[in-house]
C-alpha cells in the first residue's frame, strides 16, 4: 500500500516535470524572439505547475520521513534538484524577458519623444511662417495707408492753392469794384458764386478723401 502511494507520487512528479519541460521550451523560444503578448499566460501556467510540483515533493518528503529507504531518499533528492533547476531557470528567463520589454518600451518612448520634438519644430516653423505672413500683410496695409494719406495731402494742397488763387482774384475784384462803383453789384454776385464754388469743391474733395480712406481700411 505504501509502495503504491510512493509510486503514485513519483508518477505525478514525473508528469509535472514533463509538462514543465514542454512549457519551459516554449518560454525559452518566446524570450529569444519578440514578445507577442502571450508571455503572461505562459508564465501563469509555468508558475502553477511549479507550485503543483513543489506540493508533490512535500508529500514525497513526508512519505520519506515516515521511514523510507535510502534509495527512495536519493530519488526524492533528485526530484528536488529538478524542481530547483526549473524554478531558477524560469526566474532567470522571466528577468531577461522583463529587461527586454523595458528596453523596447524605452526605445518606443525615445521614438515618441523624437516625433513630438519634430512636431514641435514643425509647429514652430508654421508659427514663424504665419508671423512673417502677418507682418507682410501689415506692411502692405501700411503702404496702402501711406498712399491714401499722400493722396489726401495732395488734395489738401490743391485746395489750399485754389483758395489762395481765389483769394487773389477776390482781392483784384475788390480793387476793381472800388474803382468802378457802378459794377459793384455784379462783382459781388460773381464773388458769391466763386465762394459757393469753392465750398462745393472743398466738400467734394473731402467726401472723396473720406471714401478713399473707408475703402482702403475695409480691404
Amino acid at each position: 500500500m505504501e509502495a503504491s502511494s510512493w509510486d503514485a507520487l513519483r508518477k505525478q512528479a514525473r508528469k509535472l516535470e514533463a509538462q514543465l519541460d514542454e512549457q519551459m521550451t516554449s518560454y525559452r523560444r518566446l524570450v529569444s524572439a519578440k514578445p507577442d503578448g502571450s508571455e503572461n499566460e505562459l508564465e501563469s501556467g509555468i508558475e502553477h505547475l511549479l507550485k503543483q510540483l513543489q506540493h508533490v515533493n512535500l508529500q514525497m518528503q513526508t512519505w520519506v520521513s515516515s521511514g523510507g529507504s535510502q534509495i527512495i531518499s536519493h530519488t526524492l533528492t533528485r526530484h528536488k534538484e529538478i524542481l530547483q533547476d526549473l524554478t531558477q531557470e524560469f526566474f532567470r528567463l522571466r528577468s531577461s524577458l522583463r529587461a527586454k520589454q523595458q528596453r523596447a518600451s524605452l526605445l518606443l518612448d525615445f521614438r515618441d519623444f523624437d516625433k513630438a520634438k519634430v512636431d514641435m519644430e514643425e509647429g514652430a516653423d508654421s508659427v514663424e511662417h504665419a508671423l512673417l505672413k502677418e507682418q507682410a500683410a501689415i506692411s502692405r496695409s501700411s503702404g496702402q495707408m501711406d498712399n491714401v494719406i499722400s493722396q489726401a495731402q495732395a488734395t489738401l494742397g490743391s485746395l489750399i492753392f485754389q483758395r489762395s488763387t481765389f483769394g487773389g482774384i477776390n482781392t483784384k475784384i475788390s480793387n476793381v469794384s472800388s474803382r468802378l462803383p457802378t459794377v459793384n453789384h455784379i462783382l459781388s454776385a460773381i464773388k458769391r458764386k466763386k465762394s459757393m464754388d469753392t465750398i462745393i469743391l472743398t466738400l467734394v474733395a473731402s467726401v472723396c478723401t473720406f471714401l478713399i480712406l473707408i475703402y482702403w481700411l475695409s480691404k
Side-chain angles (χ1 to χ4, degrees):
M1 187 70 178
E2 292 179 354
S4 298
S5 297
W6 172 256
D7 290 340
L9 290 173
R10 282 202 61 193
K11 183 177 180 181
Q12 187 177 359
R14 288 175 179 175
K15 180 180 179 181
L16 290 171
E17 290 168 358
Q19 291 176 348
L20 279 168
D21 283 337
E22 183 179 355
Q23 294 287 326
M24 289 295 293
T25 299
S26 300
Y27 194 60
R28 292 187 196 98
R29 287 198 297 265
L30 180 63
V31 173
S32 300
K34 183 178 180 181
D36 56 2
S38 62
E39 63 273 6
N40 293 331
E41 182 179 356
L42 188 57
E43 287 172 357
S44 298
I46 293 174
E47 289 176 349
H48 181 67
L49 290 175
L50 288 173
K51 289 180 180 179
Q52 285 184 322
L53 183 57
Q54 184 179 14
H55 181 68
V56 172
N57 283 349
L58 290 174
Q59 290 179 317
M60 294 172 69
Q61 179 65 50
T62 302
W63 198 92
V64 170
S65 299
S66 64
S69 64
Q70 187 176 1
I71 296 177
I72 293 177
S73 179
H74 286 308
T75 302
L76 175 60
T77 300
R78 177 55 186 160
H79 284 294
K80 287 183 178 180
E81 290 174 351
I82 293 174
L83 174 61
Q84 184 178 0
D85 292 341
L86 290 172
T87 302
Q88 290 178 352
E89 184 180 10
F90 172 67
F91 288 156
R92 179 181 62 79
L93 290 174
R94 186 170 64 179
S95 297
S96 177
L97 179 60
R98 293 293 182 271
K100 187 176 182 179
Q101 290 173 335
Q102 289 178 357
R103 287 194 298 270
S105 178
L106 288 175
L107 180 60
L108 182 61
D109 290 341
F110 280 125
R111 289 177 179 174
D112 292 340
F113 175 77
D114 290 339
K115 185 177 182 300
K117 183 178 179 182
V118 171
D119 292 340
M120 290 179 63
E121 291 176 351
E122 291 178 352
D125 292 339
S126 300
V127 172
E128 183 178 359
H129 178 71
L131 290 175
L132 291 175
K133 186 176 180 180
E134 184 68 19
Q135 184 178 3
I138 293 174
S139 298
R140 288 195 300 271
S141 299
S142 298
Q144 293 171 357
M145 287 297 299
D146 291 338
N147 291 333
V148 172
I149 293 173
S150 298
Q151 292 176 4
Q153 290 176 345
T155 303
L156 180 61
S158 177
L159 290 174
I160 293 174
F161 176 76
Q162 291 179 7
R163 181 180 178 181
S164 63
T165 301
F166 287 138
I169 293 174
N170 289 335
T171 302
K172 293 178 181 180
I173 291 175
S174 297
N175 294 331
V176 173
S177 62
S178 61
R179 295 178 183 179
L180 299 173
T182 56
V183 296
N184 186 46
H185 179 71
I186 297 174
L187 294 177
S188 297
I190 294 174
K191 185 177 181 180
R192 287 195 299 272
K193 186 176 184 303
K194 293 293 184 180
S195 299
M196 185 63 65
D197 291 340
T198 302
I199 293 172
I200 294 173
L201 181 60
T202 302
L203 290 175
V204 171
S206 299
V207 170
C208 290
T209 303
F210 178 76
L211 291 177
I212 291 172
L213 285 172
I214 294 298
Y215 173 75
W216 284 110
L217 290 176
S218 64
K219 290 185 65 178

